[in-house]
Amino acid sequence: MSMTDKISSAEIMGALRSRLSKISETIDQQEASVVTEVGDGIAHISGLRTAMAGELLEFTSSANGRSVYGLAQNLDQDEVGAVLFGDVDSIKEGDECRTTGRVMDIPVGHAMLGRVVNPLGQPIDGLGAIDTNHRRPIEFKAPGIMARQPVCEPVQTGLMAIDAMVPIGRGQRELIIGDRKTGKTAIAIDTIVNQKDTDVICIYVAIGQKASTVAGIKETLARRGVLQKTIIVAATAADSAPMQYIAPMAGAAIGEYFMYNDANGNPADENHPGGHVLVVYDDLSKQAVAYRQMSLTLHRPPGREAYPGDIFYLHSRLLERACKLSDKNGGGSLTALPIIETQEGDVSAYIPTNVISITDGQIYLQSNLFFQGQRPAVDVGISVSRVGGAAQLKAMKQVAGTLRLDLASYREKQAFAQFGSDLDATTQYQLNHGAHMMELLKQKRYAALDVSDQVIAIFAAKEDFLDDIDLENVTLFRDQLAKYMQERHPKLREEIRDHKIDDDMSERLKTHIKHFKEEFLKAHPNKVAEADVAQTAEDNESAVADTEKETGQE
């Protein structure tokens, strides 16, 4: 061997150092233990001293070798209490449990649009697997004040009673509250349907509902053409309490993906705007009951109405995730519509008062109004939007400014009028005007009105064009007026959408509405007017007869 073939020790050391520097292997530490007790979707594991609150735990079933995941909840001195997800019945006493070192996350992405998933992000609609490349934690810290901007854009529901008096803005949290079967879900579904031609992605979270009800909602959204921009997260009544507990957080996590990322799935910034999302939590009362069941099974101390002490914190950290991000962060938004069911209209119960204090306003649905045929049954007395006119078009803010006061005055006069028959002309006018305004606010399911048509209808009512129309024809007048303006005056409708109503627009509106009203009354003459004509003729005949009689006597 020649001298040139010899390898020096320095070269060997250099080659070894080069190879070693490229090794990036790390030691993965996991603590393992065994399940000591399991039941009702709750597992108790001995030891696990390094487990963290909210950490994902991996259980291995001795029966079939499959993995089941759980969430660490109670961190006691000698054991950890965890809630189980998935095939919970396969986990038995003595099965192995390991820490994972990560929080619970779920798959998210555009591929979920049009699908029905469970709170773990797994498809349950029988349409095959969902191909997603992103994951998000179900619990995520809400953005701070500096990362947000004030709510300034409206989310149009298509329902005049809401868009005019309790407007919802992008990034707002507006509570829908009322007794069972008063139309809470109907308002939420109508709002989703009304987003068909907008850039808002919708997420409907069904908590503790029958699977048949969820299937019916899916079919409705498909028929209305909005399913392809909607994701349904379903934790049905047949699912365990832990699944119902995480369902709203899973819905928020899926929504945050669209808010924090642009259309291509890249992080949003000033040049890449984030998306706009509407999330409906239907309903948080059932989530609270599921959390109470979980907590009592975990032997946590019960508080008011047997709910755990941190139930307020559970809902507040969920709803705080709804926001309107600053332009620097992409300007995306997450709008939350939580639903709460009351018992006999009791809004002073524990969960209703909690969520009312967390949200930016509430739409209160009253049973009495519902049974009287006022649909949507919005009680304008205690319904409020704390964002208000900032989430309205200028023209809507202008015409709807005194609408709430007008209706409140009508309610007061209506109650007073029951006790007296002699009413002065002003009171009679207010009662008649108020009755027509209430009739104007009635809308059928899936009969959304464009915001410009809402403005025109309210303008017509404020200018007393409706007061001499038969009550049963008011909604027909409103709908046909909208059609008339769409067909004959589309330019004026667009002006109303973009600008405040000035004197010129006001005069043009009055002229067009007056012309339409003349045509409408020809096709639908007032019964009151016919009766008045008949009565006048009868009175004239009677007067003539009396005159002839008196003349004959003379």
Side-chain angles (χ1 to χ4, degrees), residues 231-245:
I231 301 166
I232 298 176
V233 181
T236 64
D239 288 319
S240 62
M243 291 286 271
Q244 294 181 38
Y245 155 66

Side-chain angles (χ1 to χ4, degrees), residues 31 47-53 55 57 72 75 80 99:
E31 188 178 356
L48 290 189
R49 293 182 181 277
T50 60
M52 299 175 287
E55 183 178 357
L57 303 178
L75 303 181
V80 171
T99 57

Side-chain angles (χ1 to χ4, degrees), residues 282-493:
D282 190 9
D283 66 55
L284 293 186
S285 304
K286 292 187 178 72
Q287 189 215 13
V289 169
Y291 188 57
R292 175 169 64 183
Q293 179 186 328
M294 254 174 50
S295 298
L296 293 175
T297 315
L298 283 163
H299 306 298
R300 290 181 174 178
R304 178 178 166 186
E305 296 179 25
Y307 288 102
D310 63 338
I311 189 75
F312 181 93
Y313 182 48
L314 169 72
H315 285 154
S316 64
R317 68 177 187 264
L318 167 71
L319 294 171
E320 274 297 317
R321 293 162 76 173
C323 67
K324 168 73 173 164
L325 291 175
S326 64
D327 292 334
K328 184 180 178 182
N329 292 299
S333 68
L334 181 69
T335 308
L337 291 184
I339 295 176
I340 288 288
E341 183 181 305
T342 55
Q343 306 292 328
E344 292 295 324
D346 182 15
V347 292
S348 63
Y350 188 34
I351 301 302
T353 50
N354 274 357
V355 184
I356 285 172
S357 64
I358 293 165
T359 49
D360 305 314
Q362 68 274 348
I363 299 166
Y364 179 64
L365 304 180
Q366 197 181 65
S367 301
N368 291 341
L369 289 173
F370 185 84
F371 295 132
Q372 288 168 16
Q374 189 72 33
R375 318 275 174 83
V378 178
D379 184 341
V380 297
I382 64 173
S383 296
V384 64
S385 171
R386 296 187 185 97
V387 172
Q392 280 181 314
L393 298 183
K394 291 177 181 177
M396 176 62 87
K397 187 177 179 181
Q398 184 182 0
V399 298
T402 60
L403 184 57
R404 183 190 293 273
L405 292 174
D406 291 343
L407 293 177
S409 173
Y410 164 67
R411 287 290 180 81
E412 185 184 356
K413 296 285 192 301
Q414 190 184 31
F416 173 75
Q418 293 174 354
F419 300 102
S421 55
D422 254 353
L423 300 172
D424 61 277
T426 305
T427 307
Q428 286 178 354
Y429 164 77
Q430 287 178 331
L431 283 169
N432 181 55
H433 183 72
H436 282 80
M437 293 295 275
M438 289 294 288
E439 198 68 25
L440 183 72
L441 298 179
K442 289 184 181 178
Q443 271 177 269
K444 294 179 181 178
R445 293 290 307 273
Y446 318 120
L449 277 172
D450 186 84
V451 64
S452 54
D453 296 324
Q454 294 181 31
V455 171
I456 293 167
I458 297 171
F459 178 86
K462 285 176 72 73
E463 296 295 330
D464 298 340
F465 282 103
L466 300 181
D467 290 357
D468 55 348
I469 302 286
D470 285 342
L471 277 177
E472 59 264 30
N473 287 338
V474 169
T475 52
L476 182 65
F477 180 91
R478 177 198 67 202
D479 296 339
Q480 290 193 4
L481 174 61
K483 189 177 179 183
Y484 172 85
M485 294 298 289
Q486 288 168 17
E487 292 173 351
R488 302 199 192 180
H489 307 287
K491 189 177 177 182
L492 180 57
R493 285 178 75 247

Side-chain angles (χ1 to χ4, degrees), residues 192-228:
I192 291 175
V193 169
N194 200 47
Q195 307 312 310
K196 180 180 178 181
D197 299 320
T198 69
D199 59 348
V200 177
I201 288 168
C202 304
I203 299 170
Y204 178 77
V205 184
I207 310 159
Q209 297 184 30
K210 292 185 292 185
S212 59
T213 303
V214 179
I217 289 170
K218 181 196 171 189
E219 286 303 312
T220 298
L221 297 177
R223 282 199 309 272
R224 302 287 163 183
V226 289
L227 184 61
Q228 291 310 310

